[in-house]
Amino acid sequence: MLTGEQVIVTTRHEHGLDPGGDPIYEDDPPETVDDVLVDTSTADDIEATRPDGIRIDCTLRFPRSWPYRSLRGARIRMRGNDYRVIGDPQPIYGGITPTRWNLTVQLHDERG
């Protein structure tokens, strides 16, 4: 039986505009999510060209039990390191659902 690990997710929301009209973001309170599967990077992930030029440092699989909300711009703390979510991952709905995980989240370690 597969068992995931615990991660801490910090999402953010728009909190108005600055004088130049750009959005100002504010962090939401951190949330602990249990049973998240962690895939480490492969050479294909590191060497793959991404549209925004960011490499994937690891991939997470969130459980269906987590109430989905956008992770765009979110930070995830895992194994003592902080990562930034790449893009805006969307859950898999409907069809065949053979596992209890339905959201794939790619992460980038901004420490370089």
Side-chain angles (χ1 to χ4, degrees):
M1 178 192 237
L2 290 175
T3 302
E5 56 189 86
Q6 190 176 78
V7 301
I8 299 171
V9 178
T10 303
T11 55
R12 62 185 191 156
H13 65 276
E14 195 171 313
H15 186 66
L17 301 173
D18 69 12
D22 293 320
I24 298 170
Y25 292 97
E26 184 175 278
D27 285 347
D28 297 319
E31 170 190 11
T32 300
V33 181
D34 293 317
D35 198 25
V36 176
L37 295 180
V38 178
D39 292 343
T40 56
S41 296
T42 66
D44 291 339
D45 293 331
I46 294 170
E47 296 171 6
T49 302
R50 303 286 178 240
D52 51 6
I54 296 175
R55 81 169 187 252
I56 298 169
D57 291 306
C58 61
T59 301
L60 304 182
R61 310 268 195 262
F62 274 58
R64 294 177 190 283
S65 60
W66 181 68
Y68 173 78
R69 66 191 138 292
S70 175
L71 291 174
R72 181 177 298 282
R75 290 186 319 274
I76 294 183
R77 185 160 189 73
M78 176 192 70
R79 299 178 181 173
N81 295 313
D82 291 317
Y83 297 88
R84 179 73 61 183
V85 172
I86 298 172
D88 189 14
Q90 300 295 308
I92 299 168
Y93 291 113
I96 297 175
T97 53
T99 69
R100 64 180 188 258
W101 298 274
N102 72 331
L103 178 65
T104 299
V105 179
Q106 297 176 327
L107 302 179
H108 173 66
D109 184 348
E110 294 181 328
R111 295 175 299 168

